[in-house]
Amino acid sequence: MLLRNEYLSLDPYMRGRMSDAPSYAAPVEIGAVMVGGTIAQVVSSDVAGFGLGDWVQAFGGWQDYALSDGAGVINMGTSPENPSWALGVLGMPGLTGWAGLTQIGQPKKGETLVVAGASGPVGATVGQIGKILGLHVVGIAGGARKCAHVVEALGFDVCVDHKAAGFPSALKAAVPEGIDIYFENVGGAVFDAVLPLLNPKARIPVCGLISQYNATALPDGPDRMNLLLGMILRKRMTMRGFIVFDDFGHLYPEFARQMGEWVRDGKVQYREEMIDGLERAPAAFAGLLRGEAFGKRVVKLAV
Ligand code: NDP
């Protein structure tokens, strides 16, 4: 079938596809179409179950049109409400937050959850689910504007600005009972501040390390590997990395039902930042890695 891409998702994992450093997925070859999640409309179809005008969730890449044999494509019908949300809270980033928190975080009512990248699509989902599950939720975000959004619109208990002076002590003050779950999205200096505050038996879903995606070498400084390993040992903590569809793809139907309900009921809020035109996608993507995105960055294709 021929798909006309209407919306293109911009996601941090794309940085890894632009490098031939070892990763869990092969890089995009020079001259090949850059990969990316898309929401598209079917223009013509010989594939059973897909007809003209259907909206679909696909992996159509950074281009106006894509050919598909239907593999991995989800039909959303002819008039889905907010189709682009399937690239965010109702799609891959939403599943990432929901599955990482519930499956690895193992949350229990009353515990303290700290979420990095709190205003982004994954972090915002994690923290809001944390509130639904009765946790004390502390977000970490860059700047006063994002922090105000995290508390006022998303309902986190507190948000700490990792760009402000005194960040480690502000974080410490925000978690008087220590941290039971740390949802890692960024790594770097944020993790340094979190590490001493983790409680015995803490769970750490290692979802992403965006602060390191442009790094070409390890940072200078003392080797802190044994500090980390010693903490894991003494505090009997669990750190577990995951790749969303490989590890939790089978949970997608349960996620879609549950998250659909929360979004419909207004229990989970969602912020989207729409970029106009494919030609703006490269700059918008570079900005995402610099912390310029405020909410989920999606490109509206103008065809
Ligand atoms: P985000 O929108 O949260 O990512 C961009 C944000 O990252 C920026 O706005 C900025 O937030 C923060 N950031 C960037 N650089 C730094 C830095 N040096 N230090 C601290 N924060 C920084 O993206 P997503 O919600 O889509 O993804 C969040 C994380 O989850 C990413 O690491 C991503 O790779 C990962 N991920 C992993 C998946 C998996 O299967 N394991 C699947 C999907 C996502 P601020 O301005 O607040 O600092």
Side-chain angles (χ1 to χ4, degrees):
M1 56 185 163
L2 180 63
L3 305 177
R4 188 180 63 234
N5 291 341
E6 300 282 349
Y7 300 100
L8 165 70
S9 184
L10 295 180
D11 295 282
Y13 76 82
M14 292 167 169
R15 182 64 186 85
R17 301 291 198 284
M18 299 174 188
S19 154
D20 61 5
S23 183
Y24 61 91
V28 175
E29 295 294 329
I30 302 285
V33 174
M34 180 59 201
V35 296
T38 45
I39 301 298
Q41 273 201 292
V42 176
V43 176
S44 71
S45 171
D46 295 330
V47 180
F50 296 94
L52 179 68
D54 281 345
W55 286 81
V56 297
Q57 209 176 318
F59 211 60
W62 294 39
Q63 55 185 347
D64 293 325
Y65 289 87
L67 281 173
S68 167
D69 62 6
V73 178
I74 298 173
N75 194 333
M76 302 162 73
T78 50
S79 52
E81 213 178 312
N82 302 314
S84 61
W85 290 22
L87 298 173
V89 66
L90 296 174
M92 187 279 280
L95 174 65
T96 301
W98 175 81
L101 177 63
T102 57
Q103 306 300 303
I104 302 177
Q106 297 287 319
K108 288 166 213 68
K109 198 169 178 198
E111 288 188 326
T112 296
L113 162 70
V114 171
V115 191
S119 71
V122 174
T125 306
V126 170
Q128 292 184 87
I129 298 173
K131 284 314 301 171
I132 292 170
L133 299 179
L135 306 179
H136 178 67
V137 178
V138 177
I140 299 173
R145 190 161 159 252
K146 285 184 181 176
C147 273
H149 171 76
V150 163
V151 172
E152 286 156 23
L154 305 180
F156 289 33
D157 295 291
V158 191
C159 184
V160 187
D161 179 357
H162 70 90
K163 292 182 176 163
F167 162 65
S169 37
L171 182 63
K172 185 168 185 207
V175 294
E177 294 180 26
I179 302 171
D180 300 300
I181 307 169
Y182 172 55
F183 196 101
E184 177 63 289
N185 279 326
V186 306
V190 171
F191 184 66
D192 287 344
V194 165
L195 187 59
L197 304 174
L198 291 162
N199 285 336
K201 301 268 176 80
R203 285 84 65 201
I204 307 163
V206 183
C207 174
L209 298 172
I210 194 168
S211 73
Q212 306 302 303
Y213 292 172
N214 276 327
T216 50
L218 291 172
D220 290 337
D223 179 353
R224 291 158 52 88
M225 183 69 85
N226 288 312
L227 171 73
L228 173 62
L229 290 177
M231 290 279 270
I232 292 173
L233 171 63
R234 284 190 301 281
K235 292 195 174 174
R236 292 152 292 153
M237 303 190 302
T238 304
M239 288 185 102
R240 186 183 148 194
F242 66 101
I243 302 299
V244 62
F245 285 118
D246 294 0
D247 292 298
F248 301 124
H250 61 288
L251 298 177
Y252 191 84
E254 186 186 341
F255 156 76
R257 186 194 50 73
Q258 177 64 84
M259 188 57 78
E261 200 176 297
W262 282 335
V263 169
R264 251 192 325 277
D265 294 350
K267 290 190 176 151
V268 170
Q269 302 295 319
Y270 181 55
R271 182 184 169 103
E272 206 174 46
E273 217 182 46
M274 200 58 80
I275 307 294
D276 204 15
L278 185 57
E279 65 282 4
R280 295 207 170 91
F285 177 68
L288 172 75
L289 296 176
R290 285 194 298 265
E292 290 165 12
F294 187 5
K296 169 73 198 173
R297 274 206 167 166
V298 172
V299 179
K300 173 82 184 83
L301 302 182
V303 276

